[in-house]
Amino acid sequence: MSTSIDSTLSETRSFPVPADFARQANLDAEMFARLNQQAAEDPDRFWGDLARRHLEWAVPFQLVLEADQAPFYRWFADGQLNVAHNCVDRHLRGASRHKAALIWEGEDGAVRTLTYAQLHREMQLFANALKHQGVRKGDRVAIYMPMVPEAVIAMLACARIGAIHTVVFGGFSAEALKDRLEDTQARVLITADGAWRAGKVVPLKRHADQALLREHGHAVQRVIVLRRTGTEIDMQDGRDIWWGDATAAMSADCPALPMQAEDPLFILYTSGSTGKPKGVFHSSAGYLLWSMLTTRWVFDVKPEDVYWCTADVGWITGHSYVVYGPLANGATVFLYEGAPMYPQPDRFWAMIARHGISILYTAPTAIRAFMKMGDEWPRRHDLSSLRLLGSVGEPMNPEAWMWYHQTIGGGRCPVADTWWQTETGGHMIAPLPGVTANKPGSCALPLPGISARIVDDQGNFVRAPDVGGYLVIDRPWPGMLRGIWGDPARYLENYWARFDHRYYVAGDSARRDADDYFWMMGRIDDVLNVSGHRLGTAEVESALVAHPAVAEAAVVGVPHDIKGEALCAFVVLKHRHQGDDRDELGAALRAQVTELIGAIARPDDIRFTDTLPKTRSGKIMRRLLRSIARGETIVQDTSTLEDEGILQQLGTAKKS
Ligand code: WTA
C-alpha cells in the first residue's frame, strides 16, 4: 500500500497582493513575520500577549496553557471573562455605541438595523427573560430559529448568563432537532412560528412540537416562540410562551456574568462519516480569542466595513464569523434571512449594491451555483463596494476561484480561501490579504500560531513538495474544540488515536507546494485508488470544472478488476450548455482530464445530472454517490441530505 497521496493537478496562476490593500491592512508582512517568530520561540508568551491585548478580562489569567491532561488542553484557565461583554458592552464606549452592529434584510425586503446600544438592550432583556424562565449557568439552551436578529440576540443572551447554547440549523427536521435536544438535555428551546424560505414558510414550531413529544428523552420545560411568519401554531399551556410576553416585564439591565475561561460557550453538532452527529463543544475565552483574531487578520475588518458572511448561524461559520468574531471586533454585520436565489438569481448582488457590502464570505457551493446561472446576473449590479472576498466549506476549484475573483471581485479583491472545521473554532490555513499572494485553489499558509503538517500513513512528516498525505495539527491552539459532549472517548478516538495522540487529525488530505502553500485534496475517506495511485477527489473535480461547460463535478471510485478502482464522474452543466451534445461533451471532458492530469485520472464513466446530492451546509455527499455509481442500494443516513428528490434522479441518471 502506498503511503502518500499522488498530486496531479498543477495550478500555476498567482495573484500578488494589491499594493493599496497591503498599505492599509490590519496585518502586514512585517507583523506576520514577527508573529510567526514569536509563536515559534515562545508559544505561551505569544498566546498570552494576544489574549491580554485583544480581550477584556474580569479576572486576568496567570496560566496560558495547561497540557498535563493532553489532548484535553486548557487555556487561560484561571482567568475569567464574559463573551457577550466582549462582543457588545465594550463597544458602547465612544462613537461605536451608535454604529450599526446588525443590518438585517428579510426575504420580503424589509430592513432592520440594530446599533450596538440597541443590541445591548435587546440582549439584556432576553437574558433576563431566560433567567426568569429558570435558566442558570451551565444549563443548555437550544436555538432553532430563522436568520433573524433574534437568533443572534438569543446566542448572546445565553453567553451573558453562562448558559450553553446549541443552535440547530432551521433547515433541519424534527428528527434532527429531537436528537440534539436529547443529547444536550436542553431545558429551554427558543424557536419561531416559522421561517421564510423562497417565499414559503418552513414550519419551525410544528417541527419543534414533533421533536418535543413526551416519549422522547428530552428535558425541555419551556419553549420561547418568536412571531415571524404569522403562521397558525399550537401554543401548549404551561410550556410555550411568546418571545414578546417573555421579555415584556423584564428589566433591560442584566450584568454580564464573569465565566471561567474554560466554561463551555456552546455545543454544535457536526456529522461525521459514520455514526450519529458529534456534539463538538467550545470554550469561552480560547474560542473567542481565535474567532476574533482570525476575523481581524484574515478579513481585515475595519470600523467602516459592512461585512457579510452568508452562513446561517446554525453552522460553525455562522457562530465564528456572523456572531462572535465580527462582533468582538466591533464590526457592522449584515444578515440575510432567506434563500440565495430568491426571487431571482441576483439577490446576493442586489443586496451587496444596496447595503454597500465591502467584505463577502461564502461557500464554493454557492459560487458554483451562481457560476452555473451565468454572468448576466452579477453584471446588473454595482459591486464596487466589495474589497475582500472569502470562501469556506469545500475545496474551491481554480475555475470557480477565477470566476469569483473576476466576475464578483472585479479582479481587485484579494480572495481568502479559508480552511478550517467546526472543531478548529476558526480559520487555520488561509491567505492574509495584505501579505500572501493568492494562488487559485490553494488556501495558502497556516496562520500565526498554527502548526499544520502533512504526514504519511506512518505519521512521518512529508517534507517533499507536492506529495499528499494526512493533514494534521501538531500543537494545540486556543480555538480548538474541548471535546465531544458527553463522550470523551469519542474525542480521543476521532481526532487523536490515528497517530498515537501525537497530532490532531483533521480527516482531510492535503499537499504542500514548493512555496509551502497548502492545497486541500478532499476527505481522507474519499481518496481514490487507481492502479496503485492514490488520488484526492479535489484535483480531478477541478480538472472537470476547468471545462467551460461545467459548473460542478463530483468524482468517486468504483471497483475495477484491473485498476483497483475506476473513476465515475457526476457532472453538472452550466445553464447555457445544457443542450450540448452529451457524447461529445463526455469525450471532451475525458480529453481535458487526460491533458490536465494524465490518463490515470480519466473517468471511465461520466454521468450528467442537474444537481449533486449535498448536505444542508453545501458539501457534496460523495459516499452517497459512491453507492449510486456502484449500483448499490442506499444504506447511508440521508437525513442530512438537502434535497431527497435528487436520489431518484441520480438513480436513473443516464450513462454517457
Ligand atoms: C472542508 C466548515 C477545502 C474540509 C468551517 C473540512 C475545506 C470540512 C475548506 C469542515 C477549504 C472547509 N478548502 N476544504 N477552504 N474549508 N473544508 O466542520 O473537508 O462544516 O474538514 O466546517 O470542510 O467542515 P465544517
Side-chain angles (χ1 to χ4, degrees), residues 202-332:
V202 180
L204 292 181
K205 176 62 164 63
R206 212 167 69 212
H207 293 165
D209 288 340
Q210 287 161 9
L212 290 172
L213 291 177
R214 209 164 301 132
E215 63 266 27
H216 298 154
H218 67 82
V220 173
Q221 291 161 4
R222 189 68 76 222
V223 181
I224 304 179
V225 187
L226 179 77
R227 197 189 291 279
R228 171 61 195 134
T229 52
T231 313
E232 205 169 305
I233 57 168
D234 295 328
M235 292 292 279
Q236 187 177 308
D237 255 2
R239 187 194 72 183
D240 301 350
I241 178 170
W242 289 103
W243 178 293
D245 295 335
T247 50
M250 293 299 132
S251 133
D253 181 23
C254 175
L257 185 67
M259 305 290 290
Q260 289 305 139
E262 281 293 319
D263 282 338
L265 178 65
F266 65 84
I267 306 168
L268 187 60
Y269 286 80
T270 176
S271 45
S273 45
T274 52
K276 65 174 181 129
K278 307 182 281 267
V280 165
F281 70 95
H282 280 281
S283 70
S284 294
Y287 168 80
L288 180 66
L289 177 66
W290 194 230
S291 57
M292 175 186 180
L293 282 176
T294 48
T295 304
R296 188 182 160 78
W297 291 346
V298 177
F299 295 143
D300 194 51
V301 164
K302 299 276 174 21
E304 55 279 9
D305 278 309
V306 181
Y307 161 95
W308 183 24
C309 163
T310 67
D312 190 280
V313 290
W315 309 114
I316 190 68
T317 309
H319 284 58
S320 301
Y321 299 111
V322 175
V323 183
Y324 294 112
L327 294 179
N329 280 287
T332 293

Side-chain angles (χ1 to χ4, degrees), residues 159-219:
R160 194 164 194 86
I161 62 172
I164 302 168
H165 61 67
T166 184
V167 184
V168 180
F169 173 51
F172 274 138
S173 62
E175 184 70 16
L177 175 62
K178 178 201 95 164
D179 290 344
R180 286 150 180 78
L181 292 175
E182 222 171 303
D183 200 53
T184 55
Q185 291 293 296
R187 288 167 57 101
V188 169
L189 169 64
I190 306 163
T191 187
D193 52 355
W196 287 113
R197 186 84 189 169
K200 296 197 187 69
V201 172
V202 180
L204 292 181
K205 176 62 164 63
R206 212 167 69 212
H207 293 165
D209 288 340
Q210 287 161 9
L212 290 172
L213 291 177
R214 209 164 301 132
E215 63 266 27
H216 298 154
H218 67 82

Side-chain angles (χ1 to χ4, degrees), residues 568-645:
C568 173
F570 293 83
V571 172
V572 178
L573 297 176
K574 288 182 190 161
H575 272 187
R576 231 164 341 108
H577 292 276
Q578 277 172 0
D580 292 8
D581 184 286
R582 303 286 164 104
D583 290 336
E584 260 173 48
L585 255 181
L589 290 176
R590 287 192 179 88
Q592 163 118 350
V593 173
T594 309
E595 187 199 322
L596 292 179
I597 297 182
I600 181 89
R602 202 170 165 272
D604 280 28
D605 186 1
I606 296 183
R607 302 188 189 185
F608 295 98
T609 164
D610 294 342
T611 47
L612 296 171
K614 292 190 183 158
T615 63
R616 283 161 217 255
S617 64
K619 290 189 210 303
I620 298 170
M621 295 175 81
R622 290 185 189 74
R623 273 180 306 135
L624 206 60
L625 287 172
R626 196 149 55 219
S627 298
I628 292 167
R630 294 173 183 202
E632 299 163 358
T633 36
I634 310 280
V635 291
Q636 288 94 343
D637 174 21
T638 55
S639 65
T640 56
L641 191 65
E642 188 187 33
D643 166 15
E644 298 227 19

Side-chain angles (χ1 to χ4, degrees), residues 270 316-317 391-396 417-423 443 506 508 520 523 617 619:
T270 176
I316 190 68
T317 309
S391 164
V392 60
E394 282 184 297
M396 196 163 20
D417 179 353
T418 60
W419 178 85
W420 61 295
Q421 307 177 293
T422 302
E423 293 84 349
C443 44
D508 285 337
M520 297 301 148
R523 296 291 296 171
S617 64
K619 290 189 210 303

